[in-house]
Amino acid sequence: DQQVKQNSPSLSVQEGRISILNCDYTNSMFDYFLWYKKYPAEGPTFLISISSIKDKNEDGRFTVFLNKSAKHLSLHIVPSQPGDSAVYFCEASEDYGQNFVFGPGTRLSVLP
Amino acid sequence: DGGITQSPKYLFRKEGQNVTLSCEQNLNHDAMYWYRQDPGQGLRLIYYSQIVNDFQKGDIAEGYSVSREKKESFPLTVTSAQKNPTAFYLCASSTPGRVEGYTFGSGTRLTVV
C-alpha cells in the first residue's frame, strides 16, 4: 500500500508556463514534506520543504502548497525552464524526519 | 566542496557473489542512509545509521549488510542472499532533523549478470 502517491508518471509543459506537480498521502501523521529534483545518473537534490504548520512555502520560482485536509501537496514552478526537466520526488515524514516515505516520482519535460 | 561520493558508478556482479558499494561524505553529517530505486517506485530505505557504530534496518534490509566504523563512511554490502539485487542504489546523509532533507550521492547502478 503506497503511503505517498504521485499519480502522474510524466508531465510536459511549454517553457514559460506553469508546471504543477502533485503528491497525495494517506498517513495523517505525516507532518513534514519535501520535494527533490533528480537528473539522470545523478542523486536527487533537495528543492523545497514545508511543515504541516504552514500551507505554503515559496523559494524563487518554486512554491509548495499543502492541503492537510485533502492530504495533498503540490509543487508549482513558475515560469518553467528547460533546465527544470527532471524527475521530481515528494517525500513525507512523521516527527520531522522519522518514518519517511518517498513517492514514485513524476518526470517533468519542459519544452522550448 | 563538501559532498557525498559513491563508487563505483556502475557495477556488474555475477550471481552468488557479494559486492560492496562505497559511500563517503565530508559534510560532517551524523546520519547516513542507503536507498534503493527501482523503476516506477519511490526510493526505499535499506539501512540507516544515526551515529557511528550504530545502524538500523530499513524497509528492505534483507540480503544487505552495512557497517559504520567511521562518521564519514557507510559501505553497503549486497550479499548473495539478495534475490533481486539489480537496481540503482543511492547513499544519502543528513543533519539531525533533516530540515533541509538529504544530501544524496550520485548513485551506483548494480547489474547482476
Side-chain angles (χ1 to χ4, degrees):
Chain A
D1 179 33
Q2 280 191 325
Q3 294 189 66
V4 178
K5 297 179 183 180
Q6 293 177 255
N7 290 323
S8 298
S10 62
L11 175 68
S12 291
V13 170
Q14 210 67 37
E15 182 179 2
R17 309 291 280 265
I18 184 171
S19 296
I20 300 177
L21 297 108
N22 294 305
C23 182
D24 296 286
Y25 59 96
T26 57
N27 186 347
S28 57
M29 300 300 291
F30 287 144
D31 54 18
Y32 196 63
F33 306 89
L34 305 97
W35 284 94
Y36 296 83
K37 178 164 98 170
K38 182 182 181 302
Y39 292 117
E42 293 183 16
T45 54
F46 169 73
L47 200 54
I48 193 168
S49 64
I50 188 166
S51 75
S52 58
I53 62 173
K54 292 183 158 185
D55 53 20
K56 178 182 173 181
N57 190 24
E58 200 169 345
D59 184 2
R61 296 186 296 115
F62 302 92
T63 304
V64 56
F65 295 92
L66 176 62
N67 182 333
K68 290 185 287 293
S69 60
K71 297 192 184 71
H72 175 84
L73 66 153
S74 61
L75 174 68
H76 292 211
I77 307 173
V78 184
S80 301
Q81 298 173 353
D84 296 328
S85 297
V87 176
Y88 290 80
F89 292 95
C90 67
E91 181 205 341
S93 65
E94 287 182 49
D95 296 330
Y96 293 89
Q98 305 304 312
N99 188 25
F100 27 83
V101 181
F102 282 87
T106 295
R107 181 178 301 280
L108 173 66
S109 300
V110 179
L111 310 172
Chain B
D1 283 337
I4 296 185
T5 302
Q6 283 187 247
S7 61
K9 205 168 183 68
Y10 299 95
L11 189 57
F12 295 88
R13 187 195 94 176
K14 291 183 179 178
E15 279 193 30
Q17 286 182 338
N18 292 356
V19 63
T20 297
L21 282 59
S22 170
C23 178
E24 303 278 331
Q25 55 101 357
N26 60 3
L27 299 163
N28 201 32
H29 285 172
D30 289 307
M32 296 187 74
Y33 312 79
W34 273 103
Y35 283 92
R36 169 181 170 140
Q37 185 184 14
D38 294 284
Q41 297 195 39
L43 302 177
R44 292 185 292 166
L45 183 64
I46 305 172
Y47 267 98
Y48 65 102
S49 168
Q50 303 278 38
I51 197 168
V52 174
N53 291 323
D54 187 43
F55 48 83
Q56 286 79 42
K57 292 182 179 180
D59 301 321
I60 54 166
E62 187 174 347
Y64 299 98
S65 66
V66 293
S67 63
R68 187 85 187 276
E69 297 175 2
K70 298 186 300 181
K71 188 175 185 178
E72 302 79 18
S73 179
F74 192 42
L76 173 75
T77 296
V78 184
T79 75
S80 56
Q82 169 49 238
K83 299 301 178 193
N84 186 20
T86 295
F88 187 60
Y89 291 87
L90 281 163
C91 178
S93 69
S94 75
T95 56
R98 301 197 306 111
V99 173
E100 291 188 347
Y102 299 100
T103 299
F104 282 93
S106 56
T108 293
R109 183 164 297 282
L110 173 64
T111 303
V112 174
V113 296

